[in-house]
Amino acid sequence: MLELNFENSVLTAHLSGELDHHTAAVIRKKIDAKAEILKPKTLKLDYKNVDFMDSSGIGLIMGRYRNMALMGGKVEVTNVPPHLKRMFSLSGIETLGVIK
Amino acid sequence: MKIKNQVKFSFPAKSSNESFARSAVAAFLMQLDPTISQLSDIKTSVSEAVTNSIVHGYKQEGGLIYISVAIDENSLVTIKVRDKGCGIKDIEKAMEPLFTTGGEERAGLGFAVMQSFMDSVKVRSTEGKGTTVTLKKKLSYDL
């Protein structure tokens, strides 16, 4: 579901499996707790191994974007797989400039 | 159209049941031999509707969610997600993309996703009584 790595001020969250309202809440708490302690400059959210997500997967990005901005850091979203592209474009999240 | 097959089930409005709800609907629809993409569209839409019932209908305080899935002769799938929660005051407003009363972690995209991923979405709601979301999608290859 979630693996966290920290290197060179970058906290990377490797997400996997199914992202919904239930799992996103658990993931969010873990990421925020780590970010609070480590104060990363960049939080990378890696969507490579996300098999399924509903709009909670977008909410997760929006919430982290806000949090990181408050801490003076930024968010990067990487490896969005083809089957999630429609959800991403529908959400308009690209306008935040976080998708790499 | 004549209903060929249907299933009904209900479960407590707990977020841990979101995965069960969409998977159960998908499992029932396997008899139509859907494509991965059709199945994913339906699972995503069911997930949005169920989450709405948990977060908004029952305000995370619990209750029962009722789902029915019907398949007609033309492979038209009708899914109803019903709750006996607080209802929606202004359905039009609730269906606007990015509008949410769910707080910072909710994207406000639930209905926009359902409308994009399904052929049709209907919402019936009575304040204080509950909400029924009806989702339809035709699962056939004669495009």
Side-chain angles (χ1 to χ4, degrees), chain B residues 62-102:
Chain B
L64 280 177
I65 295 175
Y66 305 81
I67 292 187
S68 70
V69 189
I71 299 168
D72 82 2
E73 287 168 323
N74 291 332
S75 300
L76 176 72
V77 175
T78 304
I79 303 163
K80 291 188 183 192
V81 179
R82 182 164 66 94
D83 66 61
K84 293 181 178 173
C86 66
I88 301 169
K89 198 173 185 179
D90 185 344
I91 293 176
E92 248 175 71
K93 185 92 190 154
M95 290 180 88
E96 270 175 27
L98 307 181
F99 174 81
T100 183
T101 54

Side-chain angles (χ1 to χ4, degrees), chain B residues 4 7 13 26-27 55 74 78 84 91 94 100 104-107 118 121 126 129-130:
Chain B
K4 224 172 68 179
V7 66
V55 175
N74 291 332
T78 304
K84 293 181 178 173
I91 293 176
T100 183
E104 291 195 343
E105 296 292 332
R106 303 302 312 158
M118 301 297 285
V121 181
T126 310
K129 292 245 164 119

Side-chain angles (χ1 to χ4, degrees), chain A residues 28-83:
Chain A
R28 176 213 327 157
K29 278 180 201 143
K30 288 185 180 166
I31 293 175
D32 289 355
K34 269 276 185 267
E36 182 73 26
I37 299 164
L38 299 169
K39 308 256 186 273
K41 285 197 179 117
T42 305
L43 169 65
K44 252 189 208 173
L45 300 171
D46 185 354
Y47 276 67
K48 187 176 167 205
N49 293 315
V50 176
D51 303 317
F52 168 90
M53 75 169 215
D54 62 19
S55 63
S56 308
I58 301 295
L60 185 73
I61 300 171
M62 288 164 55
R64 306 295 69 65
Y65 179 83
R66 233 173 255 128
N67 259 13
M68 286 302 292
L70 289 174
M71 294 196 293
K74 59 180 172 124
V75 169
E76 283 181 11
V77 177
T78 54
N79 298 316
V80 177
H83 62 272

